[in-house]
Amino acid sequence: MSIRRKRQRPVTSRAIIAFDLDCFYASVAIRARPHLKDKPVVIVQKHLCVTSNYVARSRAKGAVQKMTPVSHALQKCPELVCIDGSDLTPFREASLEVVTAIRAWLADRAREAAAMSNTKPPFCACQRLGFDEVFIDVTELALSEIENGGAPFLFRGHVFGRTDDDELRRLLMVASQLSHQLREYLIAKTQLTLCAGISHSKQLAKLAVNMNKPNDQTVFLPDQSAEYLKTLSPRALQGFGHGTHDKIITWTKHNGKHEGIETVADVLQLFGDGQDGIRRLGTILGNEQHALHILNLCRGVDHTEVLDSGDAPKSISAEDSCRSCTTMEDVSRRLVVQITRLVSRLRSDGQLFSRRPRALSVSYRFRGDGFVGTSRSVPMPTEIVSVCCSQQNKAIPKAIESIKKTALSVLKEHAGVQEGRTFDLTLLAVGASNFSDSDSFKGNGLTTDISEFFIGKAKRIDSGKKKSSGTLHHSQTPTGVSNHVQRTDSKERSTPEAEVRCPICNSKLSGDNLMQNNHIDKCLKSSCTKRDKSAGSVKRARKSLGTRTLDSYFSKRLQR
DNA sequence: CTGGGGTCCT
DNA sequence: AGGACCC
């Protein structure tokens, strides 16, 4: 297995950038539909608006926030353009496009710095958080540019706080220059805007990123960060989730301290008295390490490293939530949709990363279970191998069938979901994990870093000048170019074309692998959006408002 | 009316 | 396998 994380040296002073793409889903959707640029747009999943653009936010006067019901949003802003976002593929691709561009820019910049100082290029770890945030540790690159001289003695963008540490100030000045230039590059290259926060820890960088929005950046100089933090809600600290919040609240109520914990200062007052406080909080949380981490965060202390995410995800899953699913027919139908989406993504993943999953997880939730579901892991049916490693599209229906059979037996044996039993499911999900490299990847001496492997592979493929038709349309980077790998060992090339049917529409597929890929991709997309419930949700919401016509944009969009 | 994803730790 | 966290 390749190394997917690089440890930074234990430095006393670091320069960390937090990037956050502005209203990411909305921006990606509008980029693909330029005519919507000046319209109020929301991205809809089921009955919820998950993101909106700034036009919608100002038009609805702040009433269209994250996770507002579509009906509520339409009351505030009837002209809202709703775009279905239940298929994350375009957002996942755009996210990969951005992080790939970031890596490429940093590598270029590192090479330049290395050339000047005649040293090896400084490495910048990049860590993704969700699809729209990236942490970058630019310490080594910034230090290298300072040593080389010529880096301006000047901050770029907003500056918050102060510091007496001259070296840190210098480091963050250079980091703010890097951040600004990298942002300009990303905006020009991807047409997506983003904010940046720059500081000496992940925590403060992340707090800084939200200080000037959108499309701007802020340096957080940390000398008085502790005082600033005390005024915030503890929930603003990354790592202080609602579980932690609830446990502390429960404890305070149980112990007659009804003050609550409105601010970080409140938390420190309860547990900030040294070892004893750590132990008490550790008992409440059931984890002393976590307690220590939380209390450090409250004081502005965060030594968390930026861990490089690597290129390949560790798990891939497809899920579907529904209000009610009570028959085997319904289970089967929903399962097949999600499995088809999963297999399609595994096919692309196999092309990109020469690997296949060994574990299949099946997750489900019954009505009344609240938010927690159950998941079971079983060996991935071996039929997936020819889909991922040999890229045999005619093997797709068999793989889907086999995974469906396995998933149904898991549901039957572990959840009692079977014919003749009554049940009501509100969530069905299938996932793939525990990836193993395919044989062609082994024993070739390239065991260090997967990105190096792809850069080399991409060059070889690029010289063949095969046009990319995969799902990474925007990417012009090595990773994107390598999307379609010609495999001489594929049996599909040597055997005469057997009948291949589209697993979605069941029509006969002609043409080569490439054309089949295109058809399946297109068919998959339309099948998944057509049966999506958000269309009905928006229709109902509009109807209840008395608006007769569905926005023409919206109806068009849902067909795609 | 809580999406559709991900990560890591225990 | 579940539970915490993140978006």
Side-chain angles (χ1 to χ4, degrees):
Chain A
M1 199 58 186
S2 61
I3 295 164
R4 41 176 293 127
R5 294 173 178 183
K6 301 231 172 179
R7 298 214 156 250
Q8 298 293 292
R9 62 191 163 78
V11 281
T12 50
S13 209
R14 300 174 295 164
I16 291 169
I17 300 174
F19 277 156
D20 187 341
L21 285 117
D22 299 322
C23 44
F24 182 59
Y25 285 12
S27 300
V28 171
I30 292 168
R31 180 179 71 166
R33 304 160 176 84
H35 49 100
L36 293 182
K37 202 162 61 181
D38 300 315
K39 311 225 177 223
V41 172
V42 291
I43 305 301
V44 174
Q45 289 172 339
K46 292 294 182 312
H47 68 280
L48 286 176
C49 303
V50 292
T51 318
S52 56
N53 67 349
Y54 276 86
V55 179
R57 290 183 205 185
S58 71
R59 197 100 44 113
K61 298 196 164 81
V64 180
Q65 315 246 347
K66 276 184 180 184
M67 312 307 280
T68 39
V70 172
S71 57
H72 187 274
L74 282 172
Q75 277 172 28
K76 299 291 170 186
C77 182
E79 70 273 30
L80 218 47
V81 178
C82 300
I83 296 177
D84 175 56
S86 39
D87 183 354
L88 300 187
T89 305
F91 314 123
R92 191 179 294 110
E93 287 175 5
S95 177
L96 186 59
E97 180 192 345
V98 169
V99 73
T100 305
I102 289 173
R103 288 185 195 281
W105 190 90
L106 289 168
D108 269 359
R109 191 76 179 225
R111 240 176 275 121
E112 286 171 26
M116 283 188 68
S117 55
N118 217 353
T119 55
K120 93 177 210 281
F123 176 72
C124 299
C126 297
Q127 181 176 21
R128 289 216 275 162
L129 190 57
F131 287 165
D132 68 335
E133 290 184 24
V134 184
F135 289 98
I136 312 168
D137 188 327
V138 294
T139 309
E140 294 193 17
L141 178 56
L143 286 176
S144 176
E145 296 205 347
I146 289 170
E147 265 186 51
N148 288 341
F153 282 80
L154 198 68
F155 285 114
R156 265 291 188 166
H158 301 264
V159 180
F160 180 84
R162 57 178 297 280
T163 186
D164 290 332
D165 183 337
D166 293 340
E167 270 182 48
L168 177 62
R169 189 185 310 106
R170 181 77 180 113
L171 191 64
L172 294 182
M173 277 181 178
V174 178
S176 77
Q177 299 286 344
L178 287 169
S179 168
H180 184 257
Q181 290 163 38
L182 177 48
R183 283 204 304 123
E184 299 255 282
Y185 170 80
L186 293 173
I187 292 165
K189 172 142 189 164
T190 68
Q191 301 156 253
L192 300 169
T193 64
L194 67 158
C195 289
I198 301 111
S199 195
H200 72 148
S201 70
K202 288 177 77 173
Q203 192 199 11
L204 298 187
K206 171 125 184 150
L207 288 174
V209 80
N210 293 316
M211 287 181 176
N212 293 281
K213 294 209 290 186
N215 195 17
D216 209 338
Q217 67 176 54
T218 309
V219 177
F220 195 145
L221 302 176
D223 275 10
Q224 286 146 355
S225 60
E227 284 68 55
Y228 171 75
L229 288 172
K230 281 180 188 164
T231 68
L232 301 180
S233 159
R235 289 299 316 277
L237 308 180
Q238 119 194 102
F240 198 112
H242 73 63
T244 301
H245 190 89
D246 285 359
K247 281 173 190 166
I248 295 178
I249 290 293
T250 304
W251 178 85
T252 55
K253 283 190 176 147
H254 202 264
N255 289 51
K257 308 179 196 254
H258 75 293
E259 300 93 82
I261 45 168
E262 306 296 302
T263 65
V264 166
D266 296 340
V267 177
L268 284 175
Q269 196 155 6
L270 287 171
F271 306 106
D273 54 343
Q275 283 299 321
D276 206 44
I278 295 171
R279 241 171 266 128
R280 289 200 320 276
L281 185 56
T283 307
I284 293 164
L285 301 180
N287 185 332
E288 200 155 311
Q289 287 290 96
H290 189 223
L292 178 59
H293 184 239
I294 293 289
L295 291 172
N296 276 335
L297 288 181
C298 287
R299 299 190 175 95
V301 176
D302 177 26
H303 296 304
T304 316
E305 291 179 15
V306 178
L307 300 177
D308 197 278
S309 300
D311 294 310
K314 305 196 109 182
S315 67
I316 294 176
S317 63
E319 64 178 69
D320 175 28
S321 68
C322 51
R323 346 201 84 242
S324 177
C325 176
T326 57
T327 66
M328 282 317 289
E329 199 191 25
D330 204 5
V331 168
S332 188
R333 243 189 45 228
R334 292 176 185 280
L335 217 44
V336 141
V337 172
Q338 299 314 315
I339 291 170
T340 304
R341 299 201 323 135
L342 179 66
V343 169
S344 166
R345 285 217 270 143
L346 289 176
R347 183 187 52 152
S348 304
D349 184 83
Q351 282 179 295
L352 274 176
F353 302 116
S354 302
R355 60 178 192 164
R356 67 189 161 84
R358 284 179 299 199
L360 169 72
S361 75
V362 181
S363 310
Y364 50 89
R365 191 213 300 141
F366 290 105
R367 171 163 302 287
D369 277 2
F371 300 116
V372 288
T374 307
S375 83
R376 297 281 156 172
S377 257
V378 293
M380 178 66 79
T382 54
E383 283 84 352
I384 201 67
V385 176
S386 41
V387 173
C388 293
C389 299
S390 316
Q391 297 290 311
Q392 295 178 56
N393 282 333
K394 65 187 173 210
I396 288 179
K398 274 187 191 167
I400 290 172
E401 258 316 298
S402 177
I403 292 173
K404 180 186 170 189
K405 206 179 275 180
T406 307
L408 281 174
S409 77
V410 168
L411 287 174
K412 180 178 171 184
E413 280 167 37
H414 296 282
V417 171
Q418 57 184 303
E419 212 70 60
R421 297 274 280 265
T422 72
F423 53 83
D424 194 354
L425 291 164
T426 60
L427 181 90
L428 275 171
V430 285
S433 58
N434 195 1
F435 287 89
S436 78
D437 297 340
S438 78
D439 288 342
S440 61
F441 202 75
K442 283 181 192 161
N444 56 9
L446 291 169
T447 52
T448 47
D449 187 278
I450 199 162
S451 64
E452 285 173 31
F453 176 79
F454 282 115
I455 289 165
K457 186 155 89 172
K459 273 184 189 150
R460 290 195 297 277
I461 292 153
D462 205 23
S463 61
K465 219 52 193 166
K466 195 168 169 66
K467 202 190 168 198
S468 171
S469 74
T471 46
L472 299 167
H473 305 292
H474 307 294
S475 183
Q476 295 170 348
T477 57
T479 313
V481 177
S482 69
N483 196 23
H484 280 270
V485 183
Q486 270 190 317
R487 287 178 188 280
T488 48
D489 60 332
S490 166
K491 278 183 185 166
E492 217 151 272
R493 295 171 58 81
S494 51
T495 44
E497 275 320 305
E499 185 182 86
V500 181
R501 289 192 172 273
C502 173
I504 312 298
C505 71
N506 203 33
S507 72
K508 208 171 152 182
L509 293 181
S510 59
D512 58 8
N513 212 328
L514 218 61
M515 290 176 61
Q516 293 173 12
N517 279 358
N518 280 336
H519 175 95
I520 294 169
D521 282 343
K522 214 180 277 179
C523 219
L524 187 62
K525 237 166 224 177
S526 79
S527 109
C528 292
T529 41
K530 256 186 248 166
R531 73 168 69 241
D532 194 271
K533 297 287 186 290
S534 56
S537 190
V538 175
K539 272 180 194 164
R540 277 194 302 277
R542 285 201 191 276
K543 214 168 187 178
S544 73
L545 281 174
T547 27
R548 250 162 254 124
T549 56
L550 200 62
D551 191 307
S552 64
Y553 289 125
F554 179 61
S555 58
K556 245 188 247 171
R557 289 311 143 205
L558 279 180
Q559 300 309 311
R560 293 198 191 168

